[in-house]
Amino acid sequence: MLCFGGSGVPIVLLHGLMGRARTWWRVAEWLRPYGAVYGFDARGHGNAPRVGPWTTERFADDIAEALRTLDAGPAVLIGHSMGGLHAWATAARHPELVRAVVSEDFAPDQRGRTVETWRGYFESWPVPFSSLDHVREFFGDAGSYFADCVEERSDGFHLVADLEDLYVIAAEWGRRDYWDVVEAIRCPLLLVEGEHTAMPPGQQAEVASRVPGARHLVVPGSAHLPHDEAPEIYRGAVEAFLSQVLNR
């Protein structure tokens, strides 16, 4: 668990597929007044063990174990994409450990999607990248995010995560849906969706309709990374949510 600083209620940041805890540092900067801010590396990512099982339930149980180690009371979980799914699953399986959830751009039913689409895209990348500027240039608007997802080796910059592990993780999303997980959530929930999301349409709004009191925001102009692509709108929505949840 990476500590970003702050004190009080634990706020745990959960990254997306191929990310790591450090991708959240820009968000962590303004979250510190609300609590003790941590970033969590999912297994197979960052500094976490690169060993399965790669199931959503296992990821959620890893988070629960880390929260128990903190021993600081129920946490606010803020997750992007895969991290949003893991936040849902942790809230559903371990409700005593979760005070509230912010989920960013993940849909619960992606059955039929295969990793082959992802595989062709990922393997087209010019890895190793020659520099961090090369990473930023290649990924354009998402360049700052991806610059935090690579590490330097002797021949250049490589993804921190192993692509074969990522394919296995993402393959589960194409085989099952997570509506049962959604319907087990009992804590406050904010869903942040990119206007140009690649997720199946309408599902994030439906999640909000199935969880009592949940809120849903579509962020204009953003795609899959609202917290990087529209940071002021994302920040305003999350701060308003936290202010109510934490009685600030």
Side-chain angles (χ1 to χ4, degrees):
M1 192 94 77
L2 174 64
C3 181
F4 287 110
S7 62
V9 174
I11 301 173
V12 179
L13 302 167
L14 307 174
H15 60 79
L17 190 71
M18 85 170 52
R20 57 173 165 171
R22 294 187 185 280
T23 63
W24 283 109
W25 69 270
R26 287 173 289 276
V27 172
E29 289 288 308
W30 52 261
L31 277 175
R32 278 196 292 269
Y34 293 91
V37 185
Y38 300 90
F40 183 76
D41 282 336
R43 60 175 57 222
H45 297 74
N47 293 317
R50 300 184 187 280
V51 59
W54 305 110
T55 65
T56 297
E57 288 75 17
R58 179 66 262 179
F59 285 113
D61 291 347
D62 288 344
I63 295 165
E65 181 179 340
L67 295 179
R68 292 192 181 99
T69 300
L70 290 177
D71 193 26
V76 176
L77 302 183
I78 298 179
H80 167 243
S81 191
M82 177 187 77
L85 169 62
H86 294 170
W88 295 348
T90 306
R93 290 171 64 81
H94 306 280
E96 75 283 1
L97 297 176
V98 182
R99 182 185 296 256
V101 168
V102 177
S103 166
E104 181 185 1
D105 215 54
F106 193 86
D109 188 354
Q110 301 180 53
R111 287 176 294 175
R113 292 189 174 189
T114 72
V115 298
E116 293 311 310
T117 301
W118 297 79
R119 187 188 300 272
Y121 174 56
F122 291 163
E123 294 181 0
S124 71
W125 295 354
V127 177
F129 294 94
S130 58
S131 67
L132 290 178
D133 282 343
H134 186 197
V135 175
R136 295 186 185 100
E137 178 183 90
F138 181 80
F139 289 106
D141 291 343
S144 293
Y145 175 85
F146 280 101
D148 290 328
C149 297
V150 298
E151 63 182 0
E152 187 173 14
R153 301 177 192 169
S154 60
D155 60 343
F157 288 83
H158 294 255
L159 288 173
V160 177
D162 186 285
L163 284 179
E164 292 303 320
D165 295 339
L166 304 187
Y167 298 146
V168 176
I169 294 167
E172 183 191 63
W173 308 339
R175 294 194 301 267
R176 58 180 287 196
D177 70 76
Y178 296 94
W179 288 115
D180 59 333
V181 172
V182 166
E183 290 171 353
I185 297 172
R186 295 292 179 267
C187 65
L189 172 63
L190 170 65
L191 296 116
V192 180
E193 179 176 1
E195 178 185 11
H196 305 298
T197 179
M199 294 289 151
Q203 288 193 22
Q204 295 178 71
E206 186 174 348
V207 170
S209 74
R210 295 196 188 193
V211 177
R215 307 174 204 175
H216 173 231
L217 170 69
V218 176
V219 179
S222 67
H224 190 51
L225 279 164
H227 72 268
D228 264 4
E229 296 158 345
E232 293 184 2
I233 295 174
Y234 178 86
R235 176 177 178 174
V238 172
E239 287 193 320
F241 179 71
L242 292 177
S243 295
Q244 183 169 27
V245 167
L246 303 178
N247 297 314
R248 295 295 181 91

